[in-house]
Amino acid sequence: MSTRVAVVTGGGSGIGEAISRRLAADGALVAVLDRDGDAATAAAASIEEDGGKSVGLAVDVTDRAAVDAALGEVGARLGRPTILVNNAGVSVVGPFLEVTLETWNRMLAVNLTGTFHCCQAALPGMVEEGWGRIVNISSSSIHSGSAGMSGYVAAKSGVVGLTKVLALEFSRYGVTVNTIPPGFIDTPMLRQTVEQGYVDLAAQTAKTPVGRVGRPEDIAAATAFLVSEEAGYITGQILGVNGGRNT
Ligand code: NAP
């Protein structure tokens, strides 16, 4: 990868951390954004120890002013970002009739509106550069549904729709926009869902043709491809990374 500046949201943990590491290993300068500022700083420091260039910033993607300020700081410290990975996400599980409006709104605010904020903040710079790559991390539940995750699945389905619209609007400027819906990936988020009894991991693994739970690095590898120079003719696509499950 020629030297590009990448922004990865939710980069302090799980999939986002693996994506941050992988893009840095591929030569990008990586801004790790996370609500958990300590986690973001630690991830960036670890990338630098490995010889990469990275900054970690505390940013809540639901806060537009904070997103704008963070992108400005990234521009000043690393250069204008032309790669954006919208990975920050939260899931709250519970039966639909017990979902409060507050929980519903939070699912939409983080998973969908957070993606909207980051895309709107980053796209003008990509258009000016005439080159950009956006990868939105959605969820395999957009295909299958997932009992007890109504707000999350609704929000992630919105992310897919937004991806397709942005692909149509921005391809002419050299910007591609794609989405990766991960299957079951071993991260703190998945472990929490398992502990809450909403995912039977052994049963799900048995249904997975590849025969194992996914690793954050599996998603990072697919992301690295989609943000590469050679993926410039791929846009508006849904690249399932799920061990072959027919979700
Ligand atoms: P994770 O380990 O919980 O990491 C998510 C990171 O995003 C955390 O550091 C979290 O911070 C951060 N975050 C949450 N809300 C944020 C906000 N408002 N602003 C900025 N950062 C925020 O989860 P993960 O499994 O790696 O998930 C990464 C993405 O993959 C998510 O979008 C998730 O929905 C998606 N996904 C995961 C799986 C899976 O099996 N793991 C499957 C399908 C899709 P806190 O720790 O402070 O909340």
Side-chain angles (χ1 to χ4, degrees):
M1 186 190 294
S2 55
T3 304
R4 302 275 186 195
V5 177
V7 168
V8 181
T9 69
S13 173
I15 292 169
E17 186 177 357
I19 291 170
S20 299
R21 286 184 177 288
R22 171 62 192 260
L23 299 188
D26 286 356
L29 315 183
V30 179
V32 179
L33 274 49
D34 203 290
R35 178 173 63 175
D36 181 341
D38 290 342
T41 306
S46 171
I47 287 170
E48 295 229 320
E49 274 169 28
D50 291 343
K53 176 88 182 134
S54 183
V55 297
L57 299 174
V59 181
D60 183 333
V61 296
T62 67
D63 179 345
R64 179 54 179 270
V67 168
D68 287 340
L71 288 198
E73 187 172 347
V74 171
R77 291 174 66 179
L78 296 179
R80 178 182 264 174
T82 53
I83 296 171
L84 169 65
V85 182
N86 285 301
N87 164 83
V90 285
S91 72
V92 174
V93 289
F96 177 66
L97 292 179
E98 293 173 20
V99 175
T100 63
L101 184 58
E102 186 188 9
T103 297
W104 174 264
N105 284 338
R106 184 161 167 250
M107 290 301 93
L108 295 180
V110 178
N111 295 296
L112 180 55
T113 309
T115 300
F116 161 81
H117 285 321
C118 293
C119 288
Q120 226 178 37
L123 272 163
M126 295 183 190
V127 168
E128 272 188 35
E129 292 293 323
W131 194 97
R133 299 282 186 265
I134 297 178
V135 176
N136 296 323
I137 305 299
S138 50
S139 164
S140 60
S141 61
I142 59 157
H143 300 295
S144 60
S146 186
M149 299 180 80
S150 50
Y152 177 82
V153 177
K156 291 296 192 181
S157 299
V159 167
V160 175
L162 179 63
T163 299
K164 289 184 170 288
V165 171
L166 296 186
L168 292 175
E169 290 193 20
F170 290 93
S171 297
R172 76 193 67 174
Y173 304 108
V175 179
T176 68
V177 189
N178 293 287
T179 182
I180 296 174
F184 292 97
I185 309 295
D186 185 17
T187 68
M189 178 188 281
L190 178 65
R191 278 175 239 140
Q192 187 186 34
T193 317
V194 171
E195 279 162 23
Q196 289 166 331
Y198 272 87
V199 171
D200 178 343
L201 208 48
Q204 295 300 342
T205 305
K207 284 191 219 164
T208 303
V210 167
R212 66 168 172 82
V213 177
R215 302 178 189 113
E217 291 74 18
D218 295 320
I219 307 303
T223 303
F225 169 63
L226 287 175
V227 306
S228 69
E229 201 64 52
E230 62 194 337
Y233 200 58
I234 301 171
T235 194
Q237 301 304 305
I238 303 171
L239 176 57
V241 181
N242 53 32
R245 291 164 56 95
N246 186 16
T247 49

